[in-house]
Amino acid sequence: MPSSVKALGPARPSGANMAPQAHCCSPAAVQRWLPILAWLPDYSLQWLKMDLIAGLSVGLTVIPQALAYAEVAGLPPQYGLYSAFMGCFVYFFLGTSRDVTLGPTAIMSLLVSFYTFHEPAYAVLLAFLSGCIQLAMGFLRLGFLLDFISCPVIKGFTSAATITIGFGQIKNLLGLQDIPRQFFLQVYQIFRKVGETRYLVGDAVLGLVCMVLLLVLRLMRDHVPPVHPEMPPGVRLSHGLVWTATTARNALVVSFAALVAYSFEVTGYQPFVLTGQTAEGLPPVRIPSFSVTTANGTVSFTEMVQDMGAGLAVVPLVGLLESIAVAKSFGLTNVLGSLVSSYPVTGSFGRTAVNAQSGVCTPAGGLVTGVLVLLSLDYLTSLFSYIPKSALAAVIVMAVAPLFDARIFATLWRVKRLDLLPLCVTFLLCFWEVQYGILAGTLVSVLILLHSVARPKLQVSEGPVLVLQPASGLHFPAVEALREAILTRALEASPPRCAVLECTHICSIDYTVVLGLEELVGDFHRHGVTLAFVGLQVPVLRVLLSADLKGVQYFSTLEEAEKYLRQEPGTQPYNVSEDSVPEHKIALLKA
């Protein structure tokens, strides 16, 4: 959208002040739980205009994407649309950011395909259970669990998912049939059947044409110069038309492909594989099925949960990777969405970017998007049957291509090569099973973290007095390694040397550390030398006082410690007892 359009009205409300924190029962607290109350009283006609533009823009983007993502999920096309509107309405009331849009995404659709066996009943139940888990995580403040999933793990997962989704669409781009969904089997079968494309040249040509059109339109959008007020009205109008066409490029290209397919249908010859019949009308409102009747009998709720297995952990966690702060909104969207046959949804980066570029002012833009999706379900489903699968495959490929970050490998090689390990482990194992990839990558990241905790770097300064400074905190796994390092450098020297342990970076210790320090002080005492402490933080002093550790001598500065250990007059150490602690430290200890 031209930049001048954004400047027409008053400043847009920011996400930060739309949900202020406050005490319970106060108006601000009510706004925190129902953020719509923060911006609705100030809503203006100018905001309405901008929200209408943004809502229509996102709607024209999400409708073709929803149809395409249903194909990724292995579900009938209408389930993509069923999943595309509930998030708009929920976020209208609970949204704390004007830009975020909730709905089906490529990666979430891929996970649904993995864990629901292309059965709509499983997909809807997975949405309900995922929403319940996300709500529980939000209320119980379990966001710290997501903090253990590092950026390399996320990048490895998204890159593998991008390749899996993109490669999975080759069969539709080429018009191939009976291709399995498991990645390695897909690769084998596609290469085995690629010769059949000579009989399916229509799908291959149309798919490539659609991809080229989408790429050209995206490049045009990225290179359209901003509109200036001094430009003639005709130029500004042309810029607006170009912006509209490039923003709604998915809808334009899919409509073009459907028109081409319909033209062939009229002649009685159809060279394309079409999407096929899409169920008409709005979805019925009903609770998810907690059992499924099949030809082999009835599958109970317990059996369905067992069948979905790790998906009940992977799907809600991946849905919240963007931010645990929106867990309640995402969770409620999935719970309510399951009542209208939605499969699990999450925030869409691509459509959020469209929303922001369109100048959206409030979450009311999502209301327009939701209404547009409902109208398409009611009036356009008969036309969707003419959409070639190759056109939807082109939409999917162009949507997921930006998710593959090829530069991350070079970046990690330059910044910290060890981070390549969890990245590569996650990336490779996700082609086998997603849960194994994420679990293994997270485990490797945690092991790297634990190694840095158990073996902190020790900075050593040689001089008249040996000074050792742990470069990070001191926790119980690191005590033995620290003790060995100090003993080797100080007590195994000939003759034994006094040493200073510089504790500036140590902000907390536990009982195991206290025992280790006590043994260390005793070792020095038995060799007739002194271990002095410098820079003890208040929490560390509090623990040492509580443990009644004897024989620990500490100084305020390194210079004082070195002067004392060189036996220069005028400097005395503090002992670890409340009587000897400086007054300013006592005040902090009692605070």
Side-chain angles (χ1 to χ4, degrees), residues 42-356:
D42 300 323
Y43 202 74
S44 65
L45 288 176
Q46 183 58 45
W47 287 0
L48 176 62
K49 174 185 174 182
M50 303 303 295
D51 288 342
L52 280 172
I53 294 173
L56 289 172
S57 301
V58 175
L60 292 174
T61 302
V62 73
I63 291 173
Q65 282 187 347
L67 295 170
Y69 292 158
E71 161 66 24
V72 176
L75 300 173
Q78 64 269 17
Y79 282 89
L81 296 172
Y82 294 165
S83 307
F85 66 84
M86 182 57 73
C88 302
F89 299 134
V90 171
Y91 209 70
F92 172 72
F93 293 98
L94 301 181
T96 56
S97 170
R98 60 179 179 266
D99 300 326
V100 172
T101 63
L102 307 186
T105 63
I107 290 179
M108 188 60 72
S109 300
L110 178 67
L111 295 178
V112 170
S113 173
F114 286 157
Y115 297 115
T116 62
F117 322 107
H118 315 152
E119 286 288 342
Y122 276 85
V124 174
L125 181 60
L126 181 59
F128 175 78
L129 295 177
S130 296
C132 292
I133 293 171
Q134 290 170 333
L135 283 172
M137 291 183 67
F139 284 113
L140 297 177
R141 303 182 183 275
L142 298 179
F144 70 91
L145 295 176
L146 298 178
D147 295 336
F148 288 97
I149 304 178
S150 63
C151 182
V153 173
I154 296 173
K155 288 290 186 180
F157 162 67
T158 55
S159 297
T162 298
I163 294 175
T164 303
I165 294 169
F167 204 88
Q169 296 308 306
I170 292 180
K171 65 180 186 297
N172 291 328
L173 285 171
L174 301 180
L176 299 177
Q177 301 289 326
D178 301 322
I179 301 295
R181 289 182 174 267
Q182 207 282 333
F183 179 75
F184 295 110
L185 293 178
Q186 272 188 4
V187 175
Y188 170 74
Q189 291 291 343
I190 286 175
F191 281 108
R192 193 174 72 87
K193 295 185 176 183
V194 71
E196 298 177 11
T197 55
R198 65 180 182 273
Y199 306 112
L200 303 164
V201 66
D203 285 294
V205 170
L206 182 63
L208 291 175
V209 168
C210 289
M211 288 181 64
V212 170
L213 287 175
L214 288 169
L215 179 61
V216 169
L217 289 171
R218 189 175 73 183
L219 293 175
M220 286 177 61
R221 186 202 64 185
D222 295 339
H223 291 86
V224 171
V227 173
H228 300 290
E230 60 271 12
M231 286 182 173
V235 175
R236 280 186 287 174
L237 177 62
S238 64
H239 276 69
L241 293 175
V242 170
W243 177 87
T244 302
T246 54
T247 301
R249 59 187 179 277
N250 288 334
L252 286 178
V253 170
V254 168
S255 299
F256 159 75
L259 185 60
V260 172
Y262 180 75
S263 301
F264 279 100
E265 187 78 14
V266 172
T267 64
Y269 170 70
Q270 187 54 264
F272 311 118
V273 178
L274 302 183
T275 300
Q277 188 64 34
T278 303
E280 296 185 9
L282 303 179
V285 178
R286 60 191 177 194
I287 62 173
S289 298
F290 292 95
S291 63
V292 177
T293 302
T294 65
N296 298 324
T298 301
V299 181
S300 67
F301 171 73
T302 303
E303 292 172 322
M304 293 178 73
V305 169
Q306 291 174 345
D307 290 340
M308 289 185 282
L312 293 173
V314 174
V315 170
L317 286 177
V318 170
L320 295 179
L321 281 180
E322 182 181 355
S323 175
I324 189 66
V326 292
K328 296 168 189 174
S329 299
F330 284 21
L332 190 60
T333 294
N334 280 320
V335 170
L336 296 180
S338 68
L339 303 180
V340 289
S341 302
S342 165
Y343 65 79
V345 301
T346 185
S348 167
F349 291 108
R351 295 193 296 274
T352 294
V354 171
N355 215 16

Side-chain angles (χ1 to χ4, degrees), residues 386-588:
Y386 293 105
I387 298 176
K389 284 193 173 183
S390 58
L392 294 180
V395 170
I396 294 170
V397 170
M398 297 307 296
V400 301
L403 297 179
F404 184 81
D405 187 1
R407 293 176 296 180
I408 188 64
F409 295 91
T411 300
L412 292 182
W413 181 266
R414 186 175 64 254
V415 175
K416 187 178 181 182
R417 295 177 185 178
L418 191 58
D419 281 342
L420 284 171
L421 185 57
L423 173 73
C424 293
V425 168
T426 306
F427 178 75
L428 294 175
L429 288 182
C430 277
F431 289 115
W432 176 30
E433 289 284 352
V434 172
Q435 65 266 26
Y436 297 151
I438 296 176
L439 181 62
T442 302
L443 182 60
V444 171
S445 294
V446 171
L447 288 176
I448 293 173
L449 175 64
L450 291 177
H451 182 268
S452 66
V453 171
R455 296 295 182 268
K457 292 182 179 179
L458 194 64
Q459 298 177 359
V460 180
S461 300
E462 298 282 355
V465 176
L466 182 66
V467 180
L468 304 102
Q469 181 182 34
S472 58
L474 184 59
H475 304 279
F476 69 90
V479 173
E480 194 59 34
L482 176 67
R483 184 167 177 266
E484 289 295 329
I486 295 177
L487 291 177
T488 300
R489 289 177 170 85
L491 300 188
E492 294 181 7
S494 183
R497 307 171 60 187
C498 294
V500 175
L501 186 61
E502 220 288 352
C503 303
T504 304
H505 298 297
I506 301 174
C507 58
S508 67
I509 57 175
D510 52 49
Y511 184 63
T512 306
V513 174
V514 171
L515 292 179
L517 294 178
E518 186 176 33
E519 292 180 10
L520 201 56
V521 170
D523 290 335
F524 271 78
H525 181 71
R526 284 189 293 272
H527 284 78
V529 288
T530 302
L531 174 64
F533 293 81
V534 170
L536 290 175
Q537 304 293 319
V538 170
V540 177
L541 267 176
R542 183 180 288 117
V543 172
L544 294 178
L545 283 172
S546 301
D548 195 22
L549 192 60
K550 304 297 184 183
V552 173
Q553 297 178 332
Y554 71 95
F555 300 83
S556 298
T557 65
L558 181 60
E559 292 75 15
E560 291 179 1
E562 290 179 333
K563 184 184 292 186
Y564 173 78
L565 295 178
R566 290 197 299 265
Q567 298 182 347
E568 296 181 12
T571 303
Q572 291 298 321
Y574 299 109
N575 295 314
V576 179
S577 64
E578 193 162 332
D579 293 338
S580 63
V581 176
E583 292 184 3
H584 68 283
K585 295 271 188 178
I586 292 177
L588 290 173

